[in-house]
């Protein structure tokens, strides 16, 4: 029921799209690794540069994949409340308790519609999937969404409440995925590999340059906050650069990723549990301050920890357990409709 978080494809083996399973596996590894690096980005320029490199593209690319598997507009709306919004509300409350009583953060007041940490993605995914059926009726929606994402930085309305800043700024990537067809993917796969390598190198150089010149804070890559009043035009240009780099890197990842079933495919089919559970794991690991006095060892530790977290939390047994627990929690809150029960008997 809950696989809509990262938009997992059909559950039947013969219909799976292994290209996007593998893409999801790569992206979720970057997500976990990026979050593990967070505690050291202020202490080492190399780690900070790697962090910037990851955050230039990992969530835009993940959003693209979610959009690609959101072409069934009626199903999007029908399932969005139960499979995305309800888990978001449950997990947001659990994460709040976790931060207060386990991590020991100071009381910051519970907010239903202001998601804690990475849970913004569930809330924005609900908004996109629920509203998409009507939004696609708008003429020139894709260029309009790009323009809105860029201009939203001039307004304080688009910030953390309802994750509106991210909902607006990441929406173009969701739409790019929605409008993307298999023939577009085939064209992407035909791009010469050398071009992709150049794009990766260019993204790395841009990341290092941004860090060295301190052009903007890492939070600007989150695409959630208004532009600074004193330099709005400059930051508008920075956001345009972020958009261009994110789109280019999304193309590169699709191009370089295998379309065949391999060791990544199982991980890619279960990225939702990795995404959710790592949000409760990374803060605990941060409290131990592992290798915080040695950047090289810290970097190696985060790579190993990211791989281990992704592997363990993507195991089918972990996914089944998570789904069982979440389904039961959702069923406790929601009343099963009679007509749903009748329709299930006919299937």
């Amino acid at each position: 029921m809950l696989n809509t978080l990262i938009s997992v494809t059909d559950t039947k083996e013969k219909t799976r799209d292994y290209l996007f399973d593998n893409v999801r596996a790569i992206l979720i590894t970057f997500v976990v690794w990026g979050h593990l690096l967070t505690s050291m980005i202020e202490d080492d320029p190399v780690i900070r540069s790697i962090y910037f490199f990851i955050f230039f593209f990992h969530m835009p690319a993940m959003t693209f994949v979610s959009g690609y598997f959101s072409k069934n507009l009626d199903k999007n709306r029908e399932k969005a409340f139960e499979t995305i919004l309800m888990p978001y509300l449950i997990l947001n409350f659990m994460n709040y308790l976790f931060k207060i009583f386990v991590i020991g953060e100071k009381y910051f007041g519970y907010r239903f519609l202001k998601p804690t940490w990475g849970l913004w993605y569930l809330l924005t995914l609900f908004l996109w999937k629920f509203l998409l059926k009507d939004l696609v009726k708008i003429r020139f929606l894709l260029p309009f969404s790009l323009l809105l994402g860029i201009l939203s930085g001039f307004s304080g309305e688009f910030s953390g409440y309802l994750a509106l800043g991210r909902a607006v700024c990441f929406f173009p990537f969701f739409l790019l995925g929605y409008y993307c067809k298999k023939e577009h993917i085939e064209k992407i796969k035909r791009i010469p590999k050398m071009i992709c390598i150049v794009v990766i190198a260019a993204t790395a150089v841009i990341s290092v340059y941004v860090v060295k010149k301190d052009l903007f804070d890492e939070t600007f890559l989150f695409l959630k906050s208004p532009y600074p009043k004193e330099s709005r035009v400059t930051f508008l240009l920075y956001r345009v650069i972020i958009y261009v780099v994110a789109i280019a890197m999304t193309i590169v990842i699709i191009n370089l990723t295998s379309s065949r079933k391999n060791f990544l495919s199982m991980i890619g089919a279960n990225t939702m549990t990795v995404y959710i559970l790592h949000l409760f794991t990374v803060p605990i690991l941060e409290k131990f301050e592992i290798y915080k006095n040695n950047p090289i060892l810290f970097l190696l530790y985060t790579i190993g920890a990211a791989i281990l977290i992704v592997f363990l939390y993507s195991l089918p047994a972990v996914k089944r357990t998570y789904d069982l627990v979440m389904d039961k929690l959702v069923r406790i809150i929601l009343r099963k409709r009679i007509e749903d029960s009748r329709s299930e008997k006919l299937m």
Side-chain angles (χ1 to χ4, degrees):
M1 181 185 85
L2 300 172
N3 282 340
T4 48
L5 171 60
I6 312 295
S7 300
V8 176
T9 53
D10 296 338
T11 55
K12 294 182 180 179
E13 184 75 11
K14 64 181 180 180
T15 62
R16 294 204 68 84
D17 189 330
Y18 293 120
L19 168 63
F20 281 99
D21 277 344
N22 299 337
V23 166
R24 276 190 294 261
I26 293 169
L27 292 175
I28 198 64
T29 303
F30 275 120
V31 169
V32 176
W33 189 27
H35 286 158
L36 284 166
L37 291 174
T38 302
S39 62
M40 275 283 285
I41 59 174
E42 300 296 337
D43 303 318
D44 186 83
V46 174
I47 292 176
R48 186 172 177 82
S49 297
I50 295 172
Y51 181 92
F52 271 63
F53 176 83
I54 293 171
F55 274 76
F56 259 113
F57 69 87
H58 74 324
M59 287 313 297
M62 190 73 84
T63 303
F64 173 91
V65 176
S66 294
Y68 186 81
F69 290 101
S70 297
K71 291 178 170 54
N72 189 329
L73 300 178
D74 290 325
K75 186 177 180 180
N76 288 341
R77 177 164 291 179
E78 179 185 353
K79 299 293 185 180
F81 179 80
E82 184 174 344
T83 62
I84 305 176
L85 184 61
M86 289 308 303
Y88 159 74
L89 292 173
I90 292 170
L91 290 165
N92 199 46
F93 182 66
M94 291 173 63
N95 195 256
Y96 167 78
L97 296 178
F98 171 77
K99 285 181 176 293
I100 298 297
F101 296 107
V102 178
I103 302 303
E105 291 189 12
K106 293 182 179 179
Y107 175 75
F108 53 88
Y110 181 67
R111 294 156 293 190
F112 277 99
L113 300 179
K114 201 167 183 181
T116 56
W117 201 20
L119 292 173
W120 67 267
Y121 193 62
L122 277 76
L123 186 53
T124 56
L125 198 61
F126 166 75
L127 295 174
W128 295 331
K129 283 180 172 286
F130 188 83
L131 297 173
L132 189 61
K133 184 176 181 178
D134 293 314
L135 289 175
V136 293
K137 299 174 184 177
I138 300 174
R139 293 180 185 272
F140 311 111
L141 178 61
L142 181 55
F144 174 74
S145 70
L146 283 165
L147 185 63
L148 182 60
I150 293 168
L151 296 181
S152 64
F154 288 99
S155 173
E157 289 182 295
F158 303 101
S159 57
Y161 182 74
L162 275 176
L164 285 178
R166 282 164 159 160
V168 169
C169 292
F170 282 94
F171 187 51
F173 300 100
F174 186 84
L175 282 179
L176 283 170
Y178 170 76
Y179 287 122
C180 184
K181 300 178 180 178
K182 287 188 176 180
E183 50 264 38
H184 298 139
I185 299 299
E186 291 171 0
K187 290 181 179 179
I188 289 174
K189 297 296 284 185
R190 290 197 293 267
I191 296 174
K193 297 294 186 284
M194 183 54 64
I195 294 178
C196 295
I197 294 172
V198 170
V199 170
I200 293 173
T203 303
V205 170
I206 291 171
S207 302
V208 172
Y209 183 80
V210 170
V211 169
K212 186 175 181 179
K213 297 295 184 179
D214 196 23
L215 296 183
F216 51 79
D217 189 86
E218 70 276 1
T219 58
F220 188 66
L221 288 169
F222 302 164
L223 301 180
K224 68 175 185 177
S225 304
Y227 302 141
K229 292 182 179 180
E230 64 277 7
S231 51
R232 286 178 171 175
V233 175
T234 300
F235 275 78
L236 179 149
L237 294 175
Y238 290 159
R239 181 166 291 180
V240 171
I241 292 172
I242 292 172
Y243 272 20
V244 172
V245 172
I247 292 171
M249 283 296 295
T250 300
I251 292 172
V252 164
I253 291 170
I254 293 172
N255 176 274
L256 296 179
T257 302
S258 172
S259 300
R260 297 181 179 181
K261 184 178 181 181
N262 55 46
F263 71 97
L264 293 173
S265 304
M266 182 274 289
I267 295 173
N270 300 324
T271 48
M272 183 268 293
T273 49
V274 180
Y275 188 85
I276 294 301
L277 296 178
H278 97 279
L279 297 177
F280 294 87
T281 304
V282 172
I284 293 177
L285 292 177
E286 286 180 343
K287 290 182 73 68
F288 290 102
E289 298 186 345
I290 300 173
Y291 295 127
K292 288 291 291 291
N293 60 340
N294 191 317
I296 295 177
L297 290 179
F298 177 82
L299 192 59
L300 294 174
Y301 147 71
T302 56
I303 294 172
I307 293 172
L308 184 61
I309 288 171
V310 169
F311 173 74
L312 290 177
Y313 289 161
S314 64
L315 291 173
V318 175
K319 178 186 177 300
R320 285 195 300 270
T321 302
Y322 172 83
D323 283 349
L324 179 64
V325 172
M326 184 57 67
D327 285 351
K328 287 186 178 296
L329 291 174
V330 170
R331 293 305 176 193
I332 290 172
I333 299 171
L334 295 182
R335 182 173 58 186
K336 186 68 174 176
R337 296 187 300 176
I338 296 177
E339 53 265 36
D340 285 346
S341 300
R342 289 176 178 172
S343 64
E344 287 175 358
K345 293 177 182 178
L346 297 174
M347 295 178 65

